[in-house]
Amino acid sequence: MGLSQLVLVSPHSFPDPVATARAAGADDILANARVVGSLAEALEGTVFAAALTARRRELAVPMKWARDAAGDIVSRTSFGDVALVFGNETVGLSNEDVSLCHMPVKIPVSAEYSSLNLGAAVQVLCYELRMAALDPGEPPNLESELATFEQVEGFFSHLDRAITASGFFHPSNSKRLWPRLRRLFGRIQLEKDEINILRGMLTAFEKK
Amino acid sequence: MGLSQLVLVSPHSFPDPVATARAAGADDILANARVVGSLAEALEGTVFAAALTARRRELAVPMKWARDAAGDIVSRTSFGDVALVFGNETVGLSNEDVSLCHMPVKIPVSAEYSSLNLGAAVQVLCYELRMAALDPGEPPNLESELATFEQVEGFFSHLDRAITASGFFHPSNSKRLWPRLRRLFGRIQLEKDEINILRGMLTAFEKK
């Protein structure tokens, strides 16, 4: 998601072969992780910290949903390093941990399954930060040339001739048929190459 | 995230103790998974299928980002069951698999690390569906009563008396000090209980 600094507070086992395997293509981030003895040490030098928490707590600062928090968190990065603080898989963060942070953040979950796996929670929050920080632009579709209005109309004229000649298109059903054909092909938003394919097919039918 | 039906296509191992352990509180969904032999069989009875893909492909239908796709996918649920199709961890979906689906979907990722772990990708797409389907309402903050304007002003008067009596508040610095104090306490948006605590402190200082 574009984040590059990982700090581990008193990890159970580090480096650990299971963690390295799961890090897949991002094992450099794990290998460069800074290991510290306390959360306070981890937060040294940061200007803002958001704490992910699943539990309802009596807190000085109101909780925010991940989506609403993301913009605030990103805006703080112009002042310096910002920390996302996650508890461990089993017990999460202590109240003392949360009190060292500026913003408690929660991910909306189903009432029946109230807590996410740690990895899932990290992924969602980092994804929201990426979405808040970067406009992803257009999805990476291969470019294909859309047919122009004239090309589509040329195809419709060709189709008209072909189905009239074939006997499929009787003047009696023309009123019902054309709107349905236009609706069908209009939804597709035909490409130039596709028009050529369709007209090739029509030409083949006409010759037969 | 509120999804309840899981279909596994030719799983390597099922049921599997590692999978059950990772499912944590949602192991009922895993236990009730339907196992089928092909993607086509998995899609039987569905009215719409979205395929998550990391790769750029030559596709009939344009790719959508997860956030933009989520609303479309949710809107299809009014017509029947909708499928989210994910490939396996190693090779993802084949072009044939994607062609059985209506909408290719992609999650924006950093250019250096172009593919997410399967679990991370599933989490993000399901989270986007939850966000599109349900307004999560307000985060679950414990309710506390905010102080009224009069209560805050009462505190400021008390503070004024206390710091004047203490000698801290000289008429010479009053013009600079009050705006800063108002800005400080204004940002906090004090609660009723907090006003009582602060005024209790002031009363204690005054007695001393």
Side-chain angles (χ1 to χ4, degrees):
Chain A
M1 297 287 103
L3 285 81
S4 57
Q5 295 180 57
L6 179 65
V7 183
L8 300 169
V9 178
S10 308
H12 203 268
S13 160
F14 180 79
D16 186 285
V18 174
T20 307
R22 289 203 199 155
D27 41 351
D28 55 330
I29 291 174
L30 186 61
N32 294 323
R34 186 158 65 92
V35 175
V36 297
S38 69
L39 177 57
E41 199 182 332
L43 294 177
E44 273 170 25
T46 62
V47 296
F48 187 80
L52 198 83
T53 172
R55 294 204 301 275
R56 190 184 164 107
R57 295 168 192 257
E58 193 140 3
L59 293 167
V61 184
M63 257 190 214
K64 290 205 173 195
W65 291 129
R67 183 154 299 174
D68 301 327
D72 286 344
I73 296 169
V74 167
S75 72
R76 300 307 200 283
T77 60
S78 59
F79 300 102
D81 275 350
V82 160
L84 308 179
V85 179
F86 301 93
N88 73 24
E89 189 78 80
T90 322
V91 297
L93 293 171
S94 69
N95 283 334
E96 196 194 336
D97 294 334
V98 176
S99 75
L100 293 178
C101 303
H102 301 83
M103 182 186 284
V105 177
K106 188 166 158 60
I107 295 168
V109 291
S110 144
E112 293 109 88
Y113 309 93
S114 61
S115 178
L116 289 174
N117 286 355
L118 174 59
V122 172
Q123 176 60 50
V124 167
L125 192 55
C126 294
Y127 168 73
E128 283 289 10
L129 287 189
R130 183 168 189 81
M131 292 300 283
L134 302 174
D135 177 352
E138 289 298 307
N141 289 303
L142 290 177
E143 271 158 49
S144 49
E145 214 180 330
L146 289 182
T148 63
F149 175 77
E150 295 78 18
Q151 286 162 345
V152 175
E153 290 304 309
F155 161 67
F156 280 135
S157 302
H158 197 159
L159 184 63
D160 189 8
R161 286 199 302 279
I163 59 182
T164 304
S166 75
F168 171 76
F169 188 26
H170 287 287
S172 63
N173 62 15
S174 71
K175 276 194 182 165
R176 286 190 186 169
L177 188 63
W178 270 117
R180 301 193 68 169
L181 285 173
R182 283 194 170 270
R183 180 161 172 272
L184 190 162
F185 287 105
R187 272 215 310 288
I188 301 175
Q189 198 167 21
L190 288 164
E191 294 169 9
K192 197 180 164 184
D193 291 348
E194 292 169 337
I195 294 274
N196 292 338
I197 293 166
L198 290 170
R199 295 196 65 165
M201 281 171 53
L202 292 176
T203 304
F205 293 146
E206 287 173 321
K207 279 181 184 158
K208 197 189 164 196
Chain B
M1 297 287 104
L3 285 81
S4 58
Q5 294 180 57
L6 178 65
V7 184
L8 301 169
V9 178
S10 308
H12 204 267
S13 161
F14 179 81
D16 184 286
V18 175
T20 305
R22 288 201 202 157
D27 42 350
D28 55 330
I29 290 174
L30 186 61
N32 294 324
R34 185 159 64 93
V35 175
V36 298
S38 68
L39 178 56
E41 198 181 332
L43 295 176
E44 274 170 24
T46 63
V47 295
F48 187 79
L52 198 83
T53 171
R55 294 204 301 274
R56 192 182 162 108
R57 297 168 191 258
E58 195 140 3
L59 293 166
V61 185
M63 256 190 214
K64 292 205 173 194
W65 292 128
R67 183 153 301 172
D68 302 327
D72 286 345
I73 295 170
V74 167
S75 71
R76 301 307 200 282
T77 60
S78 59
F79 300 102
D81 275 349
V82 159
L84 308 180
V85 179
F86 301 92
N88 72 25
E89 190 78 79
T90 324
V91 297
L93 292 171
S94 69
N95 283 333
E96 197 193 335
D97 293 335
V98 176
S99 74
L100 294 179
C101 302
H102 301 83
M103 182 185 285
V105 177
K106 187 165 158 61
I107 295 169
V109 290
S110 146
E112 294 108 88
Y113 309 92
S114 61
S115 178
L116 290 174
N117 286 355
L118 173 59
V122 171
Q123 176 61 49
V124 167
L125 192 55
C126 295
Y127 168 74
E128 282 289 10
L129 288 189
R130 183 168 190 81
M131 291 300 283
L134 302 173
D135 177 352
E138 288 299 307
N141 290 304
L142 290 177
E143 273 158 50
S144 49
E145 213 179 328
L146 289 182
T148 64
F149 176 78
E150 294 78 18
Q151 286 162 345
V152 175
E153 291 303 310
F155 161 66
F156 280 135
S157 302
H158 198 159
L159 184 63
D160 189 7
R161 286 198 304 278
I163 60 183
T164 304
S166 75
F168 171 75
F169 188 26
H170 288 285
S172 63
N173 64 14
S174 72
K175 274 193 184 165
R176 287 192 183 165
L177 188 64
W178 269 118
R180 300 195 69 168
L181 285 173
R182 282 195 170 269
R183 180 161 172 271
L184 191 162
F185 288 105
R187 272 215 310 288
I188 301 175
Q189 200 167 20
L190 289 163
E191 295 169 8
K192 195 179 166 185
D193 290 348
E194 293 169 336
I195 295 273
N196 292 338
I197 293 167
L198 290 169
R199 294 195 67 165
M201 280 170 55
L202 292 177
T203 303
F205 295 144
E206 287 175 318
K207 281 181 183 159
K208 196 188 164 197

